[in-house]
Amino acid sequence: MGELKKTTLYELHKKLGAKMVEFSGWEMPVQYTGIIEEHKAVRSAAGLFDVSHMGEILVKGPGALALIQKLITNDAAKLTVGQALYSPMCYSSGGIVDDLLVYRLGDDEYWLVVNASNKDKDFGWIKDHQEGKVTVEDISDKTGQIALQGPRSQEILSQITDINLGEIKYFRFVWAETAGVKTLVSRTGYTGEDGFELYMNAEGAPKVWQALLEAGKDYGLVPVGLGARDTLRFEARLPLYGHELNEEYTPLEAGLGSFVALSKAEDFIGKEALSKQKAEGITRKLVGFEMLDRGIPRAGYRIEKNNISIGEVTSGSFAPSLGKNLGLGYVKSAEAVLDNEITVIIRDKGLRARIIKTPFYKREVK
């Protein structure tokens, strides 16, 4: 293994006592004081995340929209400047290359935010399909990204930025001065809570991070590591590439049909396969379940019904907000029925579980 990459916030994480781990080639904080404590702080107050390891790819030029429309399943043509959308990006088989956010920065300028573990693969995939008057640039190393998530996020951020945050609707963004740093402020996130994702020049990230921690002192703001980021997204049923999403699963199987615009004017890679799958019906579905017996399901564990294998766990955890052991997994469509009792094989022992409605956690919208 080569030397791990470090974000510009690395030294600040060390000073805060973070436990650092390898993640997708980066040395990142997994926790500061404890996963459950950090998780609950985000649900009740606010948490600060360093997500600078994520990839950012700039696509610009007269052919930018056409390229993006060819690559993603959602319809980027409906974006206005200042708006973002979520989309899978598929292979011709319908399997998923990655899931990403598309920001429309200008008339012919788009910003794609991709998973850290897939950044190089995604960039190569996009370049392979580039044509016409369009440039594609990997700006990941120049870009810092900080997420501020939780019910008190707006109060905290409003102290150090020059914009009216109340005017930013969900999946909208504006440019602002934040702690004196030019920042793209986006009302998006990966925790199931209200909050913001902030993008800035990588060198400016430490200044914004420290200003947010200072501004959030009286609001219960804490730094949060990758551990709680995973339990938070899991409770909200937000998929994670490499678990719920990969080249073997399609967006329709993953329950992401609302992000597949089969009716958009342009053809896109995977459209034929997904149209066929929709017409014929899917044979497996992603479901959520709660354990009835004592045990925590983990990715890769087999799911059975009447001693016959029906699927596999993709994610599982104790859910701190709910006090239950929960899981996500793919099962045969005929078994993907609410209240259906299934068996999860944990250390060669069959433990009872029950399929339940997802998301497991949903915040109250005021």
Side-chain angles (χ1 to χ4, degrees), residues 44-92:
S44 63
L48 197 60
F49 305 73
D50 177 10
V51 278
S52 300
H53 60 308
M54 300 286 283
E56 289 84 16
I57 297 170
L58 186 63
V59 182
K60 60 191 296 188
L65 178 60
L67 175 59
I68 291 169
Q69 289 289 69
K70 182 169 67 175
L71 292 169
I72 70 170
T73 64
N74 208 339
D75 187 1
K78 64 186 180 184
L79 288 178
T80 57
V81 175
Q83 195 172 10
L85 61 71
Y86 169 84
S87 180
M89 179 165 68
C90 288
Y91 296 104
S92 58

Side-chain angles (χ1 to χ4, degrees), residues 6 45 57 70 93 118 145 192 199 244-245 298 309 314 348:
K6 298 179 175 65
I57 297 170
K70 182 169 67 175
S93 64
N118 290 334
Q145 186 185 350
Y199 301 85
E244 285 71 45
L245 310 178
R298 298 297 187 194
S309 179
T314 55
D348 297 324

Side-chain angles (χ1 to χ4, degrees), residues 45-358:
L48 197 60
F49 305 73
D50 177 10
V51 278
S52 300
H53 60 308
M54 300 286 283
E56 289 84 16
I57 297 170
L58 186 63
V59 182
K60 60 191 296 188
L65 178 60
L67 175 59
I68 291 169
Q69 289 289 69
K70 182 169 67 175
L71 292 169
I72 70 170
T73 64
N74 208 339
D75 187 1
K78 64 186 180 184
L79 288 178
T80 57
V81 175
Q83 195 172 10
L85 61 71
Y86 169 84
S87 180
M89 179 165 68
C90 288
Y91 296 104
S92 58
S93 64
I96 301 170
V97 180
D98 201 2
D99 64 328
L100 48 84
L101 291 180
V102 180
Y103 290 85
R104 187 171 184 185
L105 302 181
D107 288 342
D108 295 320
E109 188 171 356
Y110 297 82
W111 194 343
L112 312 182
V113 180
V114 303
N115 285 295
S117 58
N118 290 334
K119 191 263 291 180
D120 291 341
K121 178 185 72 174
D122 292 352
F123 185 65
W125 179 256
I126 295 168
K127 292 289 287 183
D128 285 347
H129 294 89
Q130 179 182 352
E131 59 184 11
K133 294 182 178 179
V134 59
T135 61
V136 179
E137 182 184 2
D138 177 2
I139 57 170
S140 306
D141 289 343
K142 304 175 186 174
T143 308
Q145 186 185 350
I146 294 170
L148 174 64
Q149 298 280 290
R152 307 208 72 176
S153 296
Q154 183 169 318
E155 295 169 89
I156 296 167
L157 182 56
S158 66
Q159 297 178 68
I160 63 165
T161 193
D162 63 348
I163 54 172
N164 182 353
L165 297 169
E167 294 179 351
I168 307 177
K169 296 179 181 177
Y170 195 47
F171 269 75
R172 301 273 180 165
F173 65 91
V174 299
W175 288 97
E177 289 284 326
T178 304
V181 176
K182 185 181 179 183
T183 311
L184 186 153
V185 179
S186 171
R187 195 157 212 143
T188 48
Y190 192 52
T191 62
E193 296 298 333
D194 186 22
F196 302 90
E197 291 178 302
L198 312 175
Y199 301 85
M200 71 292 294
N201 188 292
E203 285 68 35
K207 188 175 181 183
V208 175
W209 175 273
Q210 288 179 296
L212 284 168
L213 279 182
E214 181 65 27
K217 271 184 178 177
D218 296 333
Y219 295 89
L221 177 67
V222 300
V224 180
L226 294 174
R229 179 173 163 84
D230 190 52
T231 55
L232 289 157
R233 73 89 195 165
F234 168 71
E235 285 186 344
R237 199 193 188 269
L238 297 169
L240 175 63
Y241 197 91
H243 289 253
E244 285 71 45
L245 310 178
N246 65 32
E247 67 276 10
E248 300 295 327
Y249 302 129
T250 74
L252 301 180
E253 293 169 334
L256 301 177
S258 59
F259 304 103
V260 178
L262 292 173
S263 61
K264 74 178 179 182
E266 303 88 348
D267 279 338
F268 60 87
I269 299 170
K271 181 177 181 179
E272 185 176 345
L274 293 172
S275 297
K276 183 172 184 288
Q277 187 177 51
K278 185 174 183 180
E280 294 178 350
I282 58 176
T283 58
R284 60 185 174 185
K285 290 181 180 178
L286 183 66
V287 298
F289 59 87
E290 65 174 346
M291 296 302 298
L292 301 176
D293 290 331
R294 190 180 178 86
I296 297 180
R298 298 297 187 194
Y301 287 1
R302 192 167 70 254
I303 301 174
E304 294 184 350
K305 178 77 176 183
N306 299 326
N307 298 317
I308 297 173
S309 179
I310 60 168
E312 186 175 284
V313 177
T314 55
S315 293
S317 173
F318 171 72
S321 304
L322 305 164
K324 297 178 178 179
N325 293 332
L326 303 172
L328 292 169
Y330 283 95
V331 299
K332 294 179 179 177
S333 295
E335 301 291 349
V337 180
L338 286 181
D339 294 325
N340 187 17
E341 189 170 312
I342 57 178
T343 302
V344 181
I345 308 302
I346 300 179
R347 298 188 181 88
D348 297 324
K349 186 177 180 181
L351 300 181
R352 294 180 306 129
R354 182 172 64 95
I355 294 175
I356 61 173
K357 189 177 179 181
T358 57

